[in-house]
Amino acid sequence: AQKITQTQPGMFVQEKEAVTLDCTYDTSDPSYGLFWYKQPSSGEMIFLIYQGSYDQQNATEGRYSLNFQKARKSANLVISASQLGDSAMYFCAMSFGGATNKLIFGTGTLLAVQP
Amino acid sequence: DTEVTQTPKHLVMGMTNKKSLKCEQHMGHRAMYWYKQKAKKPPELMFVYSYEKLSINESVPSRFSPECPNSSLLNLHLHALQPEDSALYLCASSQGEDVYNEQFFGPGTRLTVL
């Protein structure tokens, strides 16, 4: 069965510093996608970054990068130069199911950026 | 237009009421989704529509009835709900239906069942 694990319920980071949010996954499917979403207190799920299971290089989107270690089944999110607006819940998610896009989420990490 | 919209933002209903949630996207996406998110929990998939046809129902009770009238619109009809159905209901869409497509979410509807 597919599973996503986020072991950090909450984290603090100082403004302008980098922070790493951990995510491990488990699947026997060879084809899958890994995603990170940000959910502010308003509730909207904001897509941040994506990594496909066959991608050789780590994905980057602005201040976000995904540290993909396939052998270790980890997909950690790195946020560089944290900003106060980065304070939110962060969910790691995995898509699986071949031709049908089923998405499962980890339990989330609540990030607080301190001035 | 890279937006998924949902109406209403908030909904309060009694257990005997019938109401509907609406989701709309104009990105030409061919797959649309309903998720349910309880407080302090991750979203859970309810339904998947692909090319306007229901492709996945995650064993959702029949008091929730999805409908996809066209490729841009997704509805969720609610009838005889229970207080435990109170949650944030999120709609999402993706360009394609395979695992390599990111899903874009709407702002959600916060539902309270009295």
Side-chain angles (χ1 to χ4, degrees), chain B residues 16-44:
Chain B
T16 58
N17 291 158
K18 284 185 180 180
K19 296 287 184 182
S20 296
L21 310 184
K22 178 180 172 181
C23 172
E24 202 160 4
Q25 58 88 13
H26 295 287
M27 296 179 278
H29 288 177
R30 308 310 301 185
M32 297 185 76
Y33 312 81
W34 280 114
Y35 289 84
K36 174 182 178 179
Q37 186 178 21
K38 300 284 279 184
K40 301 188 188 302
K41 297 288 187 183
E44 293 181 340

Side-chain angles (χ1 to χ4, degrees), chain B residues 49-84:
Chain B
Y49 271 84
S50 179
Y51 291 88
E52 302 168 40
K53 287 185 170 25
L54 182 65
S55 61
I56 294 178
N57 176 343
E58 290 286 271
S59 303
V60 179
S62 60
R63 57 185 185 269
F64 295 91
S65 175
E67 178 197 20
C68 189
N70 59 58
S71 60
S72 301
L73 191 55
L74 186 65
N75 298 322
L76 186 63
H77 303 298
L78 315 172
H79 173 55
L81 294 193
Q82 304 297 310
E84 58 264 29

Side-chain angles (χ1 to χ4, degrees), chain A residues 13-17 19 21 37-42 44 46 48 63-64 79-90 109-115:
Chain A
V13 65
Q14 290 295 123
E15 196 177 4
K16 299 181 184 177
E17 291 187 351
V19 62
L21 306 184
Y37 286 88
K38 171 185 177 182
Q39 188 174 42
S41 56
S42 59
E44 184 171 1
I46 302 167
L48 296 178
R63 294 186 298 112
Y64 305 107
I79 305 175
S80 63
S82 297
Q83 302 172 355
L84 295 177
D86 293 335
S87 295
M89 181 69 84
Y90 288 79
T109 296
L110 185 60
L111 178 67
V113 181
Q114 297 176 321

Side-chain angles (χ1 to χ4, degrees), chain A residues 9-110:
Chain A
M11 287 194 69
F12 291 96
V13 65
Q14 290 295 123
E15 196 177 4
K16 299 181 184 177
E17 291 187 351
V19 62
T20 298
L21 306 184
D22 294 341
C23 173
T24 58
Y25 63 93
D26 192 18
T27 181
S28 55
D29 286 358
S31 302
Y32 53 89
L34 295 160
F35 305 84
W36 278 92
Y37 286 88
K38 171 185 177 182
Q39 188 174 42
S41 56
S42 59
E44 184 171 1
M45 296 287 284
I46 302 167
F47 165 72
L48 296 178
I49 196 166
Y50 155 79
Q51 181 89 37
S53 57
Y54 295 112
D55 292 343
Q56 298 292 321
Q57 292 192 321
N58 287 343
T60 59
E61 288 285 348
R63 294 186 298 112
Y64 305 107
S65 60
L66 199 154
N67 185 359
F68 180 46
Q69 298 189 40
K70 194 170 183 177
R72 299 175 71 176
K73 294 189 174 180
S74 74
N76 298 339
L77 177 71
V78 180
I79 305 175
S80 63
S82 297
Q83 302 172 355
L84 295 177
D86 293 335
S87 295
M89 181 69 84
Y90 288 79
F91 288 102
C92 180
M94 179 173 67
S95 60
F96 63 98
T100 305
N101 193 346
K102 296 182 71 167
L103 200 62
I104 58 168
F105 290 81
T107 51
T109 296
L110 185 60

Side-chain angles (χ1 to χ4, degrees), chain B residues 76-94:
Chain B
L76 186 63
H77 303 298
L78 315 172
H79 173 55
L81 294 193
Q82 304 297 310
E84 58 264 29
D85 296 321
S86 298
L88 178 68
Y89 288 84
L90 292 162
C91 173
S93 69
S94 64

